[in-house]
Amino acid sequence: MKAAVTNEQHGFDVVDVPDPAPGAADLVVRVAACGVCGSDIKAQPYMPSGLVMGHELGGEIVAVGVDAGNWRAGTKVAVLPVISCGTCAYCADGMVAHCSQTRYIGMGPDRGGFAEFAVVPARHCFVLPDRLPEHYAALVEPFAVGLHGVHTAAISSGEDVLVIGAGGVGLTTTAWARAKGARRITVVDPDPQRRESATAMGATDAVASAEEAAPGAYDAAIECVGRPELLRASQAALRARGRVVISGACDQPMPIEPITALLKEITIRFSVCYRPDEFLETITAFADGAIDPTNMIGPTLGLNRIAEAFDLVRSASVHGRVLVSPGAAK
């Protein structure tokens, strides 16, 4: 099979590698599409040579391990890329990202979706209904990220929500806030095209900076960028007893405004990854039309153009999720 393998220059070589065989509890999936997200861009410079990246993947089952259960070849699946032990208290509660044995498909020795085929644990696969396009499988993971942020913020019907950032996390968060019945959804992003994308995903209004959001007007603020100054901006936008959720990864100290937080009794929480039931909820929402992911789909490129796909995401020159389709001709 063809696979995009990391090299010593932290780029990719598209090479022939042996076709994979499933372990006893595994499935082999023909990859329909695999998304390129910001975490891939951040991780790429640190990846050793010889790895196959790609964690937003899904496709069609082509082989089933002897102990994998009642899976059948030809079934379309989305893959939850967080491999956990399956037995600890965190796993039992669905919080697979917090398992002490967590590994990420496409971020280490477990080969990911930038290849024609991928071996994945059967218990991390979720059926995609036949009536849905198979490339939707690559969109389940990013939408599950947005859903987990909305669940963490406890968004309920009739609430006013501020979403900071209209990248992948911000757009999926916006879509879920709309699906959960938020009354007003204000999205902040300096890019006018991204603001248009946010409106298409369900925002009621969009502004260029957090300072333009009405102060004290929101029940919840979800920060999806990962910049330290945006926590204070989120606090300023909240009503008394409002909730801030940080979904953006920030590697710098993030100062709070303690008096504001105290007087408003603000709750500040963080959100990472997703739960298996959120994968299921995402697929159900795609199937019944509660969430339409088509506005999140950006360019789809063949495996031989993976370097171009990464450059597009790195430069932020396109909107929507860039997909790599290993079976595509170009």
Side-chain angles (χ1 to χ4, degrees), residues 311-327:
D311 286 342
L312 287 172
V313 177
R314 188 179 294 109
S315 66
S317 58
V318 298
H319 300 276
R321 185 58 99 231
V322 176
L323 301 179
V324 172
S325 179

Side-chain angles (χ1 to χ4, degrees), residues 36 139 165-169 171 189-201 293-300 309 311-323:
V36 183
L139 300 172
V169 177
L171 291 177
D189 199 286
D191 186 313
Q193 284 186 284
R194 287 191 173 193
R195 294 198 297 273
E196 289 182 11
S197 296
T199 301
M201 295 298 289
T294 54
N295 287 313
M296 266 287 290
I297 300 172
T300 300
D311 286 342
L312 287 172
V313 177
R314 188 179 294 109
S315 66
S317 58
V318 298
H319 300 276
R321 185 58 99 231
V322 176
L323 301 179

